[in-house]
Amino acid sequence: MSPSALYSRILPYVPGCPEPTVDLAVMDAATEFAEKTQIVFKAESPIALVEDRSTYYVFPDSAVATDLITNVFCGDRQLDLVTPTSLHDQVPGWETAESSEPTHYSTFGEPGSITVYPKPKNVSGQSLRVFASWVPSFGATSIPDELGRGYVRDIVEGAKARLMMIPERKWTNLQLAAAAQAQFERGIVDARIKAIHGKAAGTIVVRP
């Protein structure tokens, strides 16, 4: 979805505002919404395990970037997440450990990458399946459809708030900006609740 599709909802509140400024406000609002709600999830295409290679990049399309990796599977096995402080305890000898099937993964490397443990050895046709939340990539010029279709009103309010808070412009309106920001934040809370429930009715499951 192009920011220009939202002009009719925004420009009446910010008369005279340049369209590139509106575009930037829309993309910033969409990015903040996606980051805070984690509402947009994708299952990345299977990533083939490579012999003696521990680190893999989760490649999104050009319009989105990886925000939060939530689950990693190797075949039917769900890998356990390890942190820098727990790696030594959970994967003894991780520096040299090798296996035909990794059991753990970490995300403390480069953004958008995962590292699996033990290091893959004697792998045969196995692959990783990564589930992650996404945000518009830096420099993106459009909102991913999964985000734009369901949350247009919230993104519009976030963009309006940003624009009307710009000081010393003829469209500056701090009172309306505060109202738009409050609506934007309510939308974030509602969407975050949906994300926690997996966008379905039911109770929240807390895993140990």
Side-chain angles (χ1 to χ4, degrees):
M1 175 184 291
S2 170
S4 62
L6 307 181
Y7 284 174
S8 62
R9 298 171 181 257
I10 298 173
L11 290 179
Y13 294 88
V14 288
C17 183
E19 290 181 357
T21 303
V22 176
D23 293 348
L24 181 60
V26 168
M27 294 308 302
D28 284 349
T31 300
E32 180 181 352
F33 191 88
E35 287 177 343
K36 290 185 175 179
T37 63
Q38 299 168 21
I39 195 68
V40 186
F41 280 85
K42 288 186 178 181
E44 184 56 46
S45 299
I47 302 170
L49 282 177
V50 178
E51 191 86 0
D52 294 324
R53 178 175 161 189
S54 297
T55 300
Y56 299 83
Y57 289 89
V58 182
F59 291 107
D61 61 45
S62 59
V64 297
T66 306
D67 179 40
L68 180 69
I69 294 172
T70 56
N71 289 294
V72 178
F73 290 84
C74 180
D76 295 331
R77 176 193 290 271
Q78 182 175 355
L79 276 59
D80 294 325
L81 174 66
V82 292
T83 64
T85 56
S86 67
L87 179 57
H88 181 75
D89 292 333
Q90 295 193 45
V91 190
W94 62 270
E95 299 95 332
T96 57
E98 298 176 337
S99 173
S100 60
E101 184 172 305
T103 56
H104 295 75
Y105 76 98
S106 71
T107 59
F108 48 84
E110 293 185 30
S113 70
I114 62 171
T115 300
V116 297
Y117 309 93
K119 179 185 295 185
K121 193 71 174 179
N122 299 321
V123 295
S124 177
Q126 296 200 71
S127 61
L128 302 172
R129 187 75 165 171
V130 180
F131 292 80
S133 62
W134 306 79
V135 298
S137 60
F138 181 77
T141 57
S142 62
I143 304 169
D145 287 342
E146 302 95 320
L147 182 62
R149 283 196 300 264
Y151 305 98
V152 167
R153 292 184 179 88
D154 300 315
I155 293 170
V156 164
E157 293 301 318
K160 285 165 52 181
R162 282 167 167 75
L163 294 169
M164 290 187 290
M165 283 189 287
I166 298 176
E168 299 180 358
R169 297 294 187 272
K170 61 183 178 181
W171 63 81
T172 301
N173 190 321
L174 298 183
Q175 184 175 359
L176 288 181
Q181 182 65 23
Q183 180 58 47
F184 179 61
E185 292 174 357
R186 284 194 294 271
I188 287 175
V189 171
D190 291 343
R192 181 62 186 140
I193 292 172
K194 287 182 181 179
I196 291 173
H197 283 276
K199 300 182 184 179
T203 57
I204 299 174
V205 177
V206 179
R207 306 182 70 178

